[in-house]
Amino acid sequence: MDLSSTEQSPKMTLLANYQVPRYLVDEALLHFDLDKAKTRVISTLKMRLNPASEAGDCVFDGDSLDLISVKLNGKSLADSEYKVDSKSLIIPNVPEQFELEIITEIHPDQNTALEGLYHSGRLLCTQCEAEGFRRITYYPDRPDVMTVFTVTIVADAKQWPVMLSNGNLEEQGQFNDGRHWVRWHDPHPKPSYLFALVAGDLYCQQDHFTTMSGREVTLRIYVDPENKHKCDHALVSLKQSMKWDEEVYGREYDLDVFMIVAVNDFNMGAMENKGLNIFNAACVLATPETATDDDFYTIQSIVAHEYFHNWSGNRVTCRDWFQLSLKEGFTVMRDQSFSADLNSAAVQRIDDVNGLRSMQFAEDAGPMAHPVRPNSYIEISNFYTVTIYEKGAEVVRMIKTLVGDKGFRKGTDLYFDRHDGQAVTTDDFVKAIEDANSIDLSQFKRWYEQAGTPELTVNTQYDPVQQRFSLTLRQSCPATPGQETKLDFHIPVAVGLLDSDGNNMPMQLAQEKTAYDGDTRVLSLTETEQTFEFIHVSEEPVASVLRGFSAPVKLKYDLTNTQLAFLMAHDTDSFNRWDAGQQLMINVLLQIVDDIQKQNTLALSPLLLSQLEAVLNDEQLDPALIAKMLTLPTENYLAAQMPVADVDAIHQAREFAKRQIAVSLKPLFNARYESLSKQKKYQFNAEDMAARSLKNLCLSYLAATADPLQMQRCLRQMKVTDNMTELLAGLRLMVDQAGSEREHALRAFYEQWKHDRQVVDKWLSVQAVSKLPDTLLRVKALMKHEAFNIKNPNNVRALIGQFCRNNPVHFHAKDGSGYRFLAEQILKLDKLNPQVAARMLGALNSWRRYDIERQELMKASLEEIAAQKDLSADVYEIVTKYLA
Ligand code: PHE
Ligand code: ZN
């Protein structure tokens, strides 16, 4: 099939073609006659010509709508007076100012794409970002059209007792025929992507928050009645978020009520609809018995993220979807610092960087690489990426590093003040920071424009006679699709110098009169190569470079394993301490991979072993950090460090190293495990979480000794624990060991938890990532299990997604079975839910980085997908970019 044929290819949207909207909507009155099978929407729009534009056809977006009628200024339009096709409604010859009434019908129960208005379990709900509103009614569905919405909902009172929309509830009433109605009004103008509606038989948990200016806000969480005991954590998190945004950014909430609804079928994590956040149930509901520490942690950060969008996203929104990172990068950066403030800042940074390196660096090095502000897209849903979110957050974080905390706050104050109620660009954001701080960030803005991960090479030289230490930094950035050459970035590089006792040394640059006051200083690299000369350096230091991961770059700094071990033991920057340990592990593991390939005998580096022993023995160190420092890099991350990834050797090397560490340090793991095993009632706080994480890490090493007694230990942990964190950790380890105990544990777990979807998803996931050889067969069997429904995105991610992304040895099986499985599922999913199908394709992002045989097999699967007729724009865009 010729993929370039124009009739096949969906349309590409270009940033360069941006034009202001021709007509504006001053007011939108929406009337919903709700019904699962057929919902009628009457939209009344007060419209006028945009003074910044010229008169012409008035164009509305639409998708999968049944158009019933159109009235202009009260007069019905004949068929000949408008044009309607599958994507738009066009009305020529409209006056400068007019009122339009559009009636459409939609079918929520047939909507498996989960965009627009859809049916999920016992409720009806909407998802409009990015372009879902056009599946509800014809509308100028773009973020720079901001409107005041008033929404009336009418429905059967028994089936739909709760009916919600954005803003404040104005009025409600009953009809005689068993139906009831409500009217919601949102005084804040907003784009259509922030519209939301929910109806259903929902339980509501309520709370209050008093804002900094003394206003009372009602907080409500709506959930299915069987989940009513799972709301506390989200409510606490919400209040923490509201308080933090007032204290740190001076941002106050602006409506009388803030609502969160939990939905079982949801494509993403959550959505920041004005005053009515809609959450994937898995990202909001938790009890200690059903959710792990990681879940609690994630929920806290997602609740914060969506709440923070009220200012960074809703009050100030995006001009067009190329500016997506304006709200997402900034908001992720905000939720990351919130989490750092409320928990362990060091652990937060390590997790954020780990995620960035394993996901975003791979995206930046692959066929979908795109700038933080992209220049083109076919399907905008494909651009809700780790680049837009996580790299975008790093870019904002670098700005903060460059202007300092106070300067950043001055900048964001100006940004919110200047652009409140507007739809703006990333340039506007940077401009506000520049204006507030009188600095020039024009070179810095290349971070928004150029894709690819820059490489930062470090060379050092010490002159003992002159007592000078020079640090030479060099940058380069690989080519990415559509961007052959790159201009130099402005890279903030945080450095410290350590003496042989591990103390920070004073830092004085050659041109300076006095030493720098502080242990870490930020150097600005703006040229291809720059040398920084430090004077009065009394002994040769070890430089600790890129402290706190001050820029999203790949560091090329050839430290010896001994120097890495030194930093791992002594660096005062906890991120770099952890990172030195990771680099040491990578060096050691890649050496083992090499030995496997050469069929040499294998041995584990005694240096690494003694370092790990020291960490494990360190009574001062935060147990959470110990757990992080003892965690080996993932197989996927190791694969990304090799020119040609050798899946099997990596797996073997990692398993070997893990067993060696386990066997050598068994008494220590034992002792730590026992000392952390004092029964204590579950609490979600940094200290207890840290203890549980180290305890579970010890157990995973103990299990790796292959001593059958350790399986008993897992079983015992599962039996006595009061929380999911420890229960699941035990199960996960049991699932890697064949035998009747494994089967029994899985069966018992399912019987205990089959009524709880979130727990069942964990049950699916642990089986999907099992190391046992028959895992793919098991995954296929599970797809037929009552617990699995392919229409539910959480099920798909838990089973298919986990297998394809986090089980590299089995997904990359030499016979291609994993790839064929994925292709088959994607084709099935594309008919149901294109967004989820396209996301699953991400498992093949790095396909060119494997051996030729595997590349051929992956290519065949991609081609099979590409050859399919009527592919969604979502899958089409990704598959063609992968094959290009
Ligand atoms: N805007 C949401 C967030 O990050 C993500 C999202 C995008 C949800 C598209 C649904 C659909 O907060
Ligand atoms: Zn967001």
Side-chain angles (χ1 to χ4, degrees), residues 127 129-130 266-272 305-306 309 327-328 384 389 835:
Q127 173 51 47
E129 189 180 6
F266 201 72
N267 284 343
M268 310 279 274
M271 179 62 212
E272 70 265 23
H305 179 99
E306 305 311 330
H309 268 316
K327 73 178 177 80
E328 296 304 347
Y384 287 76
Y389 277 67
Q835 280 186 30

Side-chain angles (χ1 to χ4, degrees), residues 476-669:
S476 66
C477 184
T480 48
Q483 290 185 335
E484 274 313 305
T485 57
K486 313 280 164 125
L487 301 170
D488 284 330
F489 289 90
H490 178 175
I491 306 178
V493 185
V495 291
L497 303 181
L498 293 173
D499 70 16
S500 48
D501 296 326
N503 300 313
N504 285 299
M505 301 170 82
M507 284 176 282
Q508 185 172 352
L509 288 168
Q511 63 276 18
E512 292 172 343
K513 295 228 158 48
T514 54
Y516 176 79
D517 178 26
D519 296 338
T520 301
R521 66 182 296 174
V522 179
L523 307 173
S524 270
L525 176 65
T526 52
E527 292 158 34
T528 309
E529 183 177 307
Q530 269 165 268
T531 296
F532 298 87
E533 238 3 287
F534 294 95
I535 54 173
H536 307 312
V537 184
S538 52
E539 60 168 302
E540 172 154 24
V542 176
S544 169
V545 182
L546 211 67
R547 280 186 161 172
F549 202 67
S550 60
V553 299
K554 286 187 187 162
L555 188 61
K556 304 269 157 175
Y557 184 13
D558 277 327
L559 292 172
T560 63
N561 283 356
T562 313
Q563 288 171 313
L564 288 170
F566 172 82
L567 287 174
M568 182 182 178
H570 298 294
D571 203 327
T572 53
D573 182 84
S574 42
F575 174 82
N576 266 17
R577 203 177 157 187
W578 168 81
D579 201 29
Q582 290 292 300
Q583 193 54 54
L584 177 58
M585 287 175 175
I586 290 170
N587 292 353
V588 167
L589 286 160
L590 292 182
Q591 181 58 50
I592 300 174
V593 167
D594 194 54
D595 286 334
I596 290 170
Q597 290 173 334
K598 294 186 176 133
Q599 304 193 346
N600 296 339
T601 34
L602 307 185
L604 187 73
S605 143
L607 177 67
L608 175 61
L609 212 49
S610 67
Q611 289 310 115
L612 295 178
E613 181 173 0
V615 170
L616 199 50
N617 270 323
D618 191 336
E619 299 285 337
Q620 306 312 312
L621 199 56
D622 172 8
L625 271 180
I626 299 182
K628 296 281 167 208
M629 292 187 77
L630 283 160
T631 303
L632 296 171
T634 63
E635 291 175 28
N636 283 333
Y637 191 60
L638 289 165
Q641 312 308 310
M642 295 181 69
V644 180
D646 185 339
V647 198
D648 298 310
I650 289 172
H651 179 68
Q652 206 189 321
R654 196 174 179 281
E655 292 291 295
F656 170 80
K658 184 145 194 202
R659 199 172 332 109
Q660 293 300 304
I661 297 168
V663 171
S664 314
L665 305 180
K666 187 171 172 187
L668 284 177
F669 285 122

